[in-house]
Amino acid sequence: MASIKIKDDIYFVGSMDWDRKLFDELIPLPEGTSYNSYLIKGSEKIALIDSVDPAKKEELFNNLAKINVTKIDYLIANHAEQDHSGSLPYLLEKFPMAKVVTNTKCKDFLKDLLLISDDKFQVVNECETISLGNKTLEFYMTPWVHWPETMVTYLKEDKILFSCDFFGAHLASSDIFVSNECEIYSSAKRYFAEIMMPFRVQIRKNVEKVEKLNIEMIAPSHGQIHKNPKFIIECYKDWISDNVKKEVVIPFVSMHESTQKMVDYLIDGLMEKGFTVKPFNLPKTDIGELAMSLVDTSTVVIGSPMVLAGPHPAAVYATYLFNLLRPKTKFVGIIGSFGWGGKMIDSLKEMLTNVKVELFEPVFIKGHPKKEDFALLDKLIEEIDKKHKENNIV
Ligand code: FEO
Protein backbone atom coordinates (compact mmCIF):
# COMPACT_ATOMS: atom_id res chain seq x y z
CA MET A 1 0.00 0.00 0.00
CA ALA A 2 0.96 3.57 -0.12
CA SER A 3 0.86 6.73 1.93
CA ILE A 4 -1.47 9.03 0.08
CA LYS A 5 -1.78 12.74 0.75
CA ILE A 6 -5.43 13.74 0.98
CA LYS A 7 -4.79 17.39 1.97
CA ASP A 8 -1.80 19.36 3.19
CA ASP A 9 -0.27 17.45 6.13
CA ILE A 10 -3.09 14.86 6.12
CA TYR A 11 -2.35 11.36 4.80
CA PHE A 12 -4.14 8.09 4.23
CA VAL A 13 -1.83 5.48 5.79
CA GLY A 14 -4.25 2.55 5.96
CA SER A 15 -4.44 -0.77 4.20
CA MET A 16 -6.52 -2.44 1.48
CA ASP A 17 -7.60 -5.99 2.26
CA TRP A 18 -8.26 -7.10 -1.31
CA ASP A 19 -8.61 -10.79 -0.48
CA ARG A 20 -10.69 -10.77 2.67
CA LYS A 21 -13.89 -12.67 1.94
CA LEU A 22 -15.65 -12.68 5.31
CA PHE A 23 -16.03 -10.23 8.19
CA ASP A 24 -16.90 -11.36 11.73
CA GLU A 25 -16.95 -14.87 10.21
CA LEU A 26 -20.42 -13.88 9.00
CA ILE A 27 -20.55 -11.03 6.50
CA PRO A 28 -19.49 -11.77 2.91
CA LEU A 29 -17.06 -9.20 1.45
CA PRO A 30 -17.47 -9.49 -2.34
CA GLU A 31 -15.28 -6.40 -2.84
CA GLY A 32 -12.83 -6.95 0.02
CA THR A 33 -12.47 -4.13 2.50
CA SER A 34 -10.08 -1.45 3.69
CA TYR A 35 -8.89 -0.30 7.10
CA ASN A 36 -8.41 3.43 6.73
CA SER A 37 -5.99 5.09 9.08
CA TYR A 38 -5.18 8.79 8.75
CA LEU A 39 -2.11 10.69 9.88
CA ILE A 40 -2.41 14.39 10.67
CA LYS A 41 0.78 16.43 11.03
CA GLY A 42 0.05 19.56 13.04
CA SER A 43 2.63 22.31 13.53
CA GLU A 44 3.24 21.00 17.08
CA LYS A 45 1.68 17.57 17.48
CA ILE A 46 0.99 14.51 15.35
CA ALA A 47 -2.17 12.41 15.51
CA LEU A 48 -3.13 9.09 13.97
CA ILE A 49 -6.86 8.56 13.49
CA ASP A 50 -7.87 4.91 13.91
CA SER A 51 -5.43 2.12 13.11
CA VAL A 52 -5.73 -1.05 11.04
CA ASP A 53 -6.58 -4.69 11.54
CA PRO A 54 -3.59 -6.25 13.35
CA ALA A 55 -2.99 -8.55 10.38
CA LYS A 56 -2.06 -5.39 8.41
CA LYS A 57 0.05 -3.61 11.01
CA GLU A 58 3.30 -3.93 9.06
CA GLU A 59 1.68 -2.12 6.17
CA LEU A 60 0.67 0.70 8.49
CA PHE A 61 4.21 0.95 9.87
CA ASN A 62 5.67 0.98 6.34
CA ASN A 63 3.25 3.73 5.33
CA LEU A 64 4.23 5.82 8.34
CA ALA A 65 7.92 5.32 7.53
CA LYS A 66 7.36 6.49 3.95
CA ILE A 67 6.30 9.91 5.25
CA ASN A 68 9.05 9.97 7.87
CA VAL A 69 6.88 9.65 10.95
CA THR A 70 9.20 9.20 13.93
CA LYS A 71 6.79 10.26 16.67
CA ILE A 72 3.06 10.19 17.26
CA ASP A 73 1.51 12.18 20.09
CA TYR A 74 -2.09 11.05 19.86
CA LEU A 75 -3.63 7.77 18.76
CA ILE A 76 -7.29 8.61 18.24
CA ALA A 77 -9.59 5.61 18.75
CA ASN A 78 -13.04 6.39 17.38
CA HIS A 79 -14.19 2.81 17.93
CA ALA A 80 -12.90 -0.18 19.90
CA GLU A 81 -13.57 -2.96 17.37
CA GLN A 82 -10.30 -4.66 16.51
CA ASP A 83 -10.31 -3.93 12.77
CA HIS A 84 -9.54 -0.32 13.79
CA SER A 85 -8.03 -0.68 17.23
CA GLY A 86 -6.19 -4.00 16.96
CA SER A 87 -2.86 -2.41 16.04
CA LEU A 88 -2.89 -0.01 18.99
CA PRO A 89 -0.74 -2.23 21.27
CA TYR A 90 1.93 -2.40 18.51
CA LEU A 91 1.71 1.34 17.91
CA LEU A 92 2.16 1.94 21.65
CA GLU A 93 5.26 -0.26 21.61
CA LYS A 94 6.73 1.75 18.74
CA PHE A 95 5.56 5.16 19.97
CA PRO A 96 5.57 4.74 23.80
CA MET A 97 4.98 8.44 24.46
CA ALA A 98 1.69 8.43 22.52
CA LYS A 99 -1.64 8.74 24.31
CA VAL A 100 -4.70 6.79 23.21
CA VAL A 101 -7.41 9.42 22.90
CA THR A 102 -10.97 8.19 23.26
CA ASN A 103 -14.15 8.39 25.33
CA THR A 104 -14.70 6.62 28.66
CA LYS A 105 -16.77 3.75 27.21
CA CYS A 106 -14.28 3.08 24.45
CA LYS A 107 -11.42 3.19 26.95
CA ASP A 108 -13.14 0.46 28.98
CA PHE A 109 -13.56 -1.67 25.85
CA LEU A 110 -9.92 -1.18 24.84
CA LYS A 111 -8.71 -2.15 28.30
CA ASP A 112 -10.78 -5.33 28.10
CA LEU A 113 -10.19 -6.25 24.47
CA LEU A 114 -6.56 -5.26 24.03
CA LEU A 115 -5.26 -5.12 27.60
CA ILE A 116 -4.06 -1.54 27.19
CA SER A 117 -3.12 -0.11 30.59
CA ASP A 118 -5.01 2.77 32.18
CA ASP A 119 -2.09 5.24 32.09
CA LYS A 120 -1.96 5.12 28.27
CA PHE A 121 -5.29 6.90 27.84
CA GLN A 122 -6.45 10.47 27.52
CA VAL A 123 -10.23 10.61 27.83
CA VAL A 124 -12.26 13.11 25.82
CA ASN A 125 -15.89 14.15 26.15
CA GLU A 126 -18.49 15.60 23.80
CA CYS A 127 -17.22 18.70 21.92
CA GLU A 128 -13.84 18.52 23.62
CA THR A 129 -10.88 19.64 21.50
CA ILE A 130 -7.21 18.78 21.20
CA SER A 131 -4.84 21.19 19.53
CA LEU A 132 -2.12 19.94 17.20
CA GLY A 133 -0.83 23.52 16.83
CA ASN A 134 -2.27 24.79 13.59
CA LYS A 135 -4.94 22.06 13.49
CA THR A 136 -7.69 21.23 15.98
CA LEU A 137 -9.42 17.93 16.61
CA GLU A 138 -12.95 18.04 17.98
CA PHE A 139 -14.77 14.96 19.26
CA TYR A 140 -18.44 14.06 19.00
CA MET A 141 -20.10 11.03 20.55
CA THR A 142 -22.11 9.04 18.01
CA PRO A 143 -23.23 5.94 19.91
CA TRP A 144 -24.55 2.83 18.17
CA VAL A 145 -22.85 3.09 14.81
CA HIS A 146 -22.69 0.18 15.59
CA TRP A 147 -21.30 -0.25 19.12
CA PRO A 148 -22.26 1.82 22.17
CA GLU A 149 -18.91 3.65 22.39
CA THR A 150 -18.56 4.92 18.81
CA MET A 151 -17.48 8.53 18.25
CA VAL A 152 -16.28 10.71 15.37
CA THR A 153 -13.40 13.18 15.08
CA TYR A 154 -13.79 16.50 13.30
CA LEU A 155 -10.74 18.33 12.01
CA LYS A 156 -11.94 21.91 12.28
CA GLU A 157 -9.55 23.86 10.05
CA ASP A 158 -9.78 21.37 7.18
CA LYS A 159 -13.49 20.60 7.72
CA ILE A 160 -12.93 16.84 7.57
CA LEU A 161 -15.09 14.40 9.52
CA PHE A 162 -13.29 11.16 10.42
CA SER A 163 -16.28 8.93 10.97
CA CYS A 164 -14.83 5.39 11.38
CA ASP A 165 -17.58 2.82 10.56
CA PHE A 166 -20.25 5.55 10.24
CA PHE A 167 -20.71 6.38 6.50
CA GLY A 168 -18.23 3.59 5.64
CA ALA A 169 -18.34 0.73 3.16
CA HIS A 170 -16.58 -2.59 2.75
CA LEU A 171 -14.72 -1.80 -0.44
CA ALA A 172 -11.08 -2.22 -1.41
CA SER A 173 -10.20 0.19 -4.19
CA SER A 174 -7.15 1.94 -5.59
CA ASP A 175 -9.34 5.06 -5.73
CA ILE A 176 -9.04 6.58 -2.27
CA PHE A 177 -11.83 9.05 -3.04
CA VAL A 178 -15.33 8.19 -4.21
CA SER A 179 -15.14 7.94 -7.98
CA ASN A 180 -18.47 6.28 -8.74
CA GLU A 181 -21.46 7.19 -6.57
CA CYS A 182 -23.52 4.21 -7.80
CA GLU A 183 -20.79 1.81 -6.71
CA ILE A 184 -20.32 3.41 -3.29
CA TYR A 185 -24.11 3.65 -2.82
CA SER A 186 -24.40 -0.10 -3.12
CA SER A 187 -21.40 -0.89 -0.87
CA ALA A 188 -22.41 1.66 1.77
CA LYS A 189 -26.05 0.50 1.79
CA ARG A 190 -24.94 -3.09 2.20
CA TYR A 191 -22.66 -2.07 5.07
CA PHE A 192 -25.43 -0.06 6.73
CA ALA A 193 -27.76 -3.06 6.41
CA GLU A 194 -25.30 -5.52 7.88
CA ILE A 195 -24.30 -3.66 11.02
CA MET A 196 -26.24 -0.43 11.53
CA MET A 197 -29.83 -1.12 10.51
CA PRO A 198 -30.85 -2.40 13.97
CA PHE A 199 -29.87 0.99 15.42
CA ARG A 200 -31.50 3.26 12.86
CA VAL A 201 -33.48 5.20 15.48
CA GLN A 202 -30.34 6.03 17.47
CA ILE A 203 -28.45 6.79 14.24
CA ARG A 204 -30.97 9.52 13.37
CA LYS A 205 -29.63 11.60 16.28
CA ASN A 206 -26.07 11.09 15.09
CA VAL A 207 -26.90 12.17 11.55
CA GLU A 208 -28.62 15.29 12.91
CA LYS A 209 -25.55 16.01 15.03
CA VAL A 210 -22.92 15.72 12.30
CA GLU A 211 -25.10 17.51 9.77
CA LYS A 212 -24.71 20.70 11.81
CA LEU A 213 -20.93 20.65 11.27
CA ASN A 214 -19.39 22.42 8.30
CA ILE A 215 -18.09 19.31 6.52
CA GLU A 216 -16.19 19.37 3.24
CA MET A 217 -15.01 15.77 3.38
CA ILE A 218 -16.08 12.59 5.17
CA ALA A 219 -13.20 10.19 5.70
CA PRO A 220 -14.53 6.89 7.06
CA SER A 221 -12.33 4.02 8.22
CA HIS A 222 -13.68 1.58 5.61
CA GLY A 223 -14.06 2.33 1.91
CA GLN A 224 -13.61 5.56 0.03
CA ILE A 225 -13.44 9.19 1.16
CA HIS A 226 -16.44 11.38 0.32
CA LYS A 227 -15.63 14.76 -1.22
CA ASN A 228 -19.35 15.25 -1.60
CA PRO A 229 -20.50 14.54 1.98
CA LYS A 230 -24.08 15.53 1.19
CA PHE A 231 -24.43 12.42 -0.98
CA ILE A 232 -23.76 9.89 1.78
CA ILE A 233 -25.60 11.92 4.42
CA GLU A 234 -28.72 11.98 2.21
CA CYS A 235 -28.39 8.20 1.65
CA TYR A 236 -28.33 7.66 5.41
CA LYS A 237 -31.30 9.96 5.92
CA ASP A 238 -33.29 7.82 3.50
CA TRP A 239 -32.20 4.50 5.06
CA ILE A 240 -32.97 5.60 8.64
CA SER A 241 -36.33 7.14 7.70
CA ASP A 242 -39.63 5.26 8.06
CA ASN A 243 -40.16 5.26 4.28
CA VAL A 244 -40.63 1.85 2.67
CA LYS A 245 -40.88 0.82 -0.96
CA LYS A 246 -43.61 -1.15 -2.71
CA GLU A 247 -41.37 -4.15 -2.67
CA VAL A 248 -41.63 -7.79 -1.63
CA VAL A 249 -38.50 -9.66 -0.55
CA ILE A 250 -38.88 -13.44 -0.66
CA PRO A 251 -36.18 -15.41 1.17
CA PHE A 252 -37.01 -19.03 0.41
CA VAL A 253 -35.73 -22.57 0.21
CA SER A 254 -37.27 -25.47 -1.65
CA MET A 255 -36.32 -29.15 -1.57
CA HIS A 256 -38.67 -30.87 -4.05
CA GLU A 257 -40.03 -27.87 -5.98
CA SER A 258 -43.35 -27.41 -4.15
CA THR A 259 -42.23 -24.25 -2.33
CA GLN A 260 -40.36 -23.16 -5.47
CA LYS A 261 -43.62 -23.39 -7.49
CA MET A 262 -45.43 -21.35 -4.85
CA VAL A 263 -42.71 -18.72 -4.92
CA ASP A 264 -42.78 -18.57 -8.72
CA TYR A 265 -46.54 -18.10 -8.67
CA LEU A 266 -46.27 -15.38 -6.03
CA ILE A 267 -43.59 -13.53 -7.99
CA ASP A 268 -45.70 -13.49 -11.15
CA GLY A 269 -48.83 -12.35 -9.33
CA LEU A 270 -47.01 -9.56 -7.47
CA MET A 271 -45.26 -8.37 -10.64
CA GLU A 272 -48.64 -8.13 -12.34
CA LYS A 273 -49.75 -5.85 -9.50
CA GLY A 274 -46.75 -3.58 -10.05
CA PHE A 275 -44.59 -4.75 -7.14
CA THR A 276 -40.82 -4.95 -7.21
CA VAL A 277 -40.05 -8.51 -6.16
CA LYS A 278 -36.69 -9.75 -4.88
CA PRO A 279 -36.49 -13.53 -4.42
CA PHE A 280 -33.51 -14.98 -2.55
CA ASN A 281 -32.96 -18.71 -2.97
CA LEU A 282 -31.36 -19.10 0.45
CA PRO A 283 -28.85 -21.94 -0.11
CA LYS A 284 -27.40 -19.92 -3.00
CA THR A 285 -27.78 -16.43 -1.50
CA ASP A 286 -25.15 -13.93 -0.41
CA ILE A 287 -26.72 -12.90 2.92
CA GLY A 288 -25.30 -9.38 2.52
CA GLU A 289 -27.51 -8.95 -0.56
CA LEU A 290 -30.49 -10.16 1.42
CA ALA A 291 -29.69 -7.77 4.28
CA MET A 292 -29.37 -4.86 1.83
CA SER A 293 -32.78 -5.64 0.33
CA LEU A 294 -34.30 -5.36 3.81
CA VAL A 295 -33.25 -1.71 4.25
CA ASP A 296 -36.35 -0.33 2.57
CA THR A 297 -38.68 -3.17 1.62
CA SER A 298 -42.28 -2.95 2.82
CA THR A 299 -42.91 -6.69 2.81
CA VAL A 300 -41.14 -9.98 3.40
CA VAL A 301 -42.58 -13.38 2.52
CA ILE A 302 -40.61 -16.33 3.91
CA GLY A 303 -40.87 -19.59 1.96
CA SER A 304 -39.92 -22.97 3.41
CA PRO A 305 -40.70 -26.64 3.27
CA MET A 306 -40.93 -28.77 6.39
CA VAL A 307 -37.85 -30.68 7.50
CA LEU A 308 -38.24 -33.18 10.34
CA ALA A 309 -41.39 -31.50 11.67
CA GLY A 310 -39.98 -27.94 11.60
CA PRO A 311 -38.95 -25.22 9.14
CA HIS A 312 -35.94 -25.81 6.88
CA PRO A 313 -32.78 -24.63 8.73
CA ALA A 314 -32.01 -22.18 5.89
CA ALA A 315 -35.37 -20.49 6.49
CA VAL A 316 -34.70 -20.46 10.24
CA TYR A 317 -31.36 -18.73 9.60
CA ALA A 318 -32.97 -16.10 7.35
CA THR A 319 -35.78 -15.48 9.83
CA TYR A 320 -33.30 -15.19 12.69
CA LEU A 321 -31.28 -12.70 10.66
CA PHE A 322 -34.39 -10.70 9.75
CA ASN A 323 -35.35 -10.48 13.42
CA LEU A 324 -31.78 -9.54 14.41
CA LEU A 325 -31.46 -6.79 11.80
CA ARG A 326 -34.78 -5.21 12.80
CA PRO A 327 -35.62 -3.67 9.42
CA LYS A 328 -38.53 -1.25 9.00
CA THR A 329 -40.54 -3.90 7.12
CA LYS A 330 -44.27 -3.53 7.78
CA PHE A 331 -45.76 -6.82 6.58
CA VAL A 332 -44.65 -10.45 6.74
CA GLY A 333 -46.05 -13.58 5.11
CA ILE A 334 -45.07 -17.24 5.44
CA ILE A 335 -45.63 -19.80 2.73
CA GLY A 336 -44.52 -23.40 2.28
CA SER A 337 -45.39 -27.02 1.95
CA PHE A 338 -45.31 -30.09 4.14
CA GLY A 339 -45.48 -33.84 3.75
CA TRP A 340 -46.89 -35.02 7.05
CA GLY A 341 -47.36 -31.88 9.18
CA GLY A 342 -45.49 -30.24 12.02
CA LYS A 343 -44.99 -26.81 13.56
CA MET A 344 -43.30 -24.77 10.88
CA ILE A 345 -45.56 -21.72 10.93
CA ASP A 346 -45.57 -21.34 14.71
CA SER A 347 -41.81 -21.91 14.91
CA LEU A 348 -41.11 -19.10 12.41
CA LYS A 349 -43.69 -16.74 13.91
CA GLU A 350 -42.21 -17.21 17.38
CA MET A 351 -38.84 -16.02 16.09
CA LEU A 352 -40.18 -12.57 15.17
CA THR A 353 -39.73 -10.98 18.58
CA ASN A 354 -37.81 -7.81 17.63
CA VAL A 355 -39.90 -6.56 14.72
CA LYS A 356 -43.25 -4.81 14.69
CA VAL A 357 -44.89 -6.39 11.66
CA GLU A 358 -48.37 -7.29 10.56
CA LEU A 359 -48.61 -10.96 9.61
CA PHE A 360 -50.60 -12.15 6.62
CA GLU A 361 -52.56 -15.40 6.81
CA PRO A 362 -49.90 -18.09 6.09
CA VAL A 363 -50.25 -20.32 3.05
CA PHE A 364 -49.15 -23.76 4.16
CA ILE A 365 -50.05 -26.60 1.85
CA LYS A 366 -49.72 -30.39 1.66
CA GLY A 367 -47.37 -31.61 -1.05
CA HIS A 368 -47.29 -30.17 -4.55
CA PRO A 369 -49.44 -27.03 -5.00
CA LYS A 370 -52.88 -27.69 -6.50
CA LYS A 371 -55.58 -25.44 -7.88
CA GLU A 372 -57.01 -24.62 -4.44
CA ASP A 373 -53.52 -23.83 -3.15
CA PHE A 374 -52.89 -21.35 -5.97
CA ALA A 375 -56.22 -19.77 -5.03
CA LEU A 376 -54.82 -19.21 -1.52
CA LEU A 377 -51.76 -17.55 -3.03
CA ASP A 378 -54.09 -15.34 -5.13
CA LYS A 379 -55.73 -14.31 -1.87
CA LEU A 380 -52.35 -13.52 -0.35
CA ILE A 381 -51.40 -11.39 -3.37
CA GLU A 382 -54.71 -9.51 -3.09
CA GLU A 383 -54.13 -8.97 0.62
CA ILE A 384 -50.58 -7.66 0.07
CA ASP A 385 -51.87 -5.28 -2.61
CA LYS A 386 -54.73 -4.09 -0.40
CA LYS A 387 -52.42 -3.33 2.53
CA HIS A 388 -50.13 -1.28 0.32
CA LYS A 389 -53.04 0.74 -1.04
CA GLU A 390 -54.43 1.33 2.45
CA ASN A 391 -51.01 2.52 3.66
CA ASN A 392 -50.24 4.59 0.54
CA ILE A 393 -47.08 2.63 -0.19
CA VAL A 394 -46.42 3.27 -3.85
FE1 FEO B 1 -15.05 -1.50 11.22
FE2 FEO B 1 -17.09 -1.87 13.87
O1 FEO B 1 -15.50 -1.98 12.94
Side-chain angles (χ1 to χ4, degrees):
M1 196 51 214
S3 297
I4 298 169
K5 183 174 169 179
I6 60 173
K7 259 187 121 175
D8 282 349
D9 298 319
I10 305 167
Y11 299 86
F12 173 99
V13 290
S15 165
M16 295 296 153
D17 204 339
W18 305 97
D19 295 329
R20 188 161 179 180
K21 293 290 172 241
L22 212 53
F23 199 87
D24 289 345
E25 299 304 322
L26 171 71
I27 299 167
L29 301 176
E31 299 165 297
T33 191
S34 68
Y35 317 108
N36 304 352
S37 179
Y38 301 96
L39 189 93
I40 304 171
K41 286 183 177 174
S43 55
E44 291 168 22
K45 305 278 187 187
I46 295 178
L48 184 75
I49 308 232
D50 295 327
S51 74
V52 300
D53 190 278
K56 296 284 187 177
K57 63 181 182 301
E58 291 309 324
E59 220 171 298
L60 170 64
F61 287 135
N62 288 340
N63 290 341
L64 292 172
K66 279 182 193 170
I67 50 172
N68 305 314
V69 176
T70 53
K71 70 149 196 165
I72 292 177
D73 300 284
Y74 302 113
L75 297 163
I76 314 296
N78 282 319
H79 176 29
E81 195 168 8
Q82 292 90 329
D83 52 326
H84 310 291
S85 68
S87 294
L88 284 175
Y90 306 98
L91 283 158
L92 285 167
E93 266 177 36
K94 199 168 175 71
F95 304 102
M97 302 309 286
K99 286 285 179 196
V100 177
V101 175
T102 193
N103 60 69
T104 309
K105 263 195 194 125
C106 189
K107 173 183 164 181
D108 289 345
F109 273 118
L110 292 172
K111 285 167 71 177
D112 275 341
L113 297 172
L114 299 169
L115 310 179
I116 297 174
S117 63
D118 201 72
D119 61 310
K120 292 290 181 187
F121 289 94
Q122 179 171 332
V123 169
V124 287
N125 295 304
E126 178 78 4
C127 295
E128 205 169 312
T129 59
I130 286 183
S131 174
L132 306 179
N134 60 344
K135 293 184 188 292
T136 314
L137 303 175
E138 193 163 61
F139 305 97
Y140 292 93
M141 305 305 129
T142 51
W144 296 109
V145 287
H146 58 126
W147 281 16
E149 87 305 358
T150 43
M151 68 177 205
V152 295
T153 302
Y154 179 58
L155 182 56
K156 284 174 93 164
E157 291 77 7
D158 294 276
K159 302 181 178 66
I160 302 176
L161 185 75
F162 296 96
S163 59
C164 201
D165 283 344
F166 199 14
F167 304 120
H170 282 310
L171 174 69
S173 172
S174 56
D175 293 331
I176 294 298
F177 295 99
V178 171
S179 51
N180 177 337
E181 283 188 344
C182 289
E183 183 185 46
I184 200 69
Y185 175 86
S186 177
S187 303
K189 186 175 184 181
R190 186 182 170 106
Y191 189 56
F192 170 86
E194 291 163 341
I195 65 165
M196 293 186 206
M197 186 156 59
F199 313 111
R200 71 184 178 94
V201 173
Q202 293 94 321
I203 292 173
R204 275 183 202 160
K205 293 188 192 115
N206 296 329
V207 171
E208 281 167 21
K209 187 184 280 189
V210 301
E211 226 189 348
K212 290 185 186 132
L213 302 171
N214 183 4
I215 301 171
E216 287 184 356
M217 208 184 271
I218 292 181
S221 292
H222 293 294
Q224 295 165 315
I225 299 170
H226 294 268
K227 281 185 177 170
N228 174 13
K230 196 171 173 357
F231 170 77
I232 192 67
I233 289 174
E234 290 303 314
C235 289
Y236 264 68
K237 281 163 99 173
D238 180 34
W239 302 333
I240 59 181
S241 75
D242 290 329
N243 302 335
V244 289
K245 291 181 180 160
K246 187 180 170 182
E247 199 168 281
V248 181
V249 168
I250 310 178
F252 75 97
V253 52
S254 182
M255 299 191 304
H256 300 292
E257 291 201 348
S258 299
T259 305
Q260 177 75 60
K261 284 209 158 39
M262 295 174 79
V263 167
D264 291 344
Y265 191 84
L266 192 64
I267 293 170
D268 290 350
L270 289 167
M271 283 173 66
E272 282 161 17
K273 296 275 188 197
F275 281 84
T276 299
V277 189
K278 294 183 177 170
F280 291 92
N281 191 343
L282 291 167
K284 303 175 177 74
T285 287
D286 169 339
I287 58 155
E289 293 282 331
L290 172 60
M292 184 161 61
S293 76
L294 297 176
V295 170
D296 36 30
T297 191
S298 60
T299 306
V300 170
V301 177
I302 302 158
S304 174
M306 291 280 300
V307 178
L308 302 174
H312 191 290
V316 172
Y317 181 56
T319 308
Y320 178 83
L321 200 66
F322 173 73
N323 190 58
L324 196 67
L325 292 174
R326 284 186 267 154
K328 53 189 171 184
T329 307
K330 290 185 179 304
F331 311 109
V332 167
I334 303 172
I335 64 171
S337 85
F338 63 94
W340 63 85
K343 285 192 172 174
M344 181 182 105
I345 302 294
D346 285 345
S347 301
L348 291 178
K349 270 189 193 172
E350 282 163 13
M351 292 177 71
L352 302 174
T353 52
N354 286 342
V355 284
K356 285 184 197 150
V357 293
E358 197 173 328
L359 282 163
F360 293 115
E361 187 63 35
V363 181
F364 195 41
I365 66 160
K366 190 165 181 3
H368 194 278
K370 297 165 250 340
K371 194 176 165 196
E372 60 272 26
D373 302 320
F374 289 121
L376 292 175
L377 288 172
D378 284 333
K379 212 172 140 201
L380 174 61
I381 293 163
E382 286 302 329
E383 196 56 25
I384 292 173
D385 193 39
K386 190 173 143 214
K387 283 290 175 195
H388 283 73
K389 284 179 177 147
E390 282 173 4
N391 288 275
N392 287 322
I393 304 169
V394 289

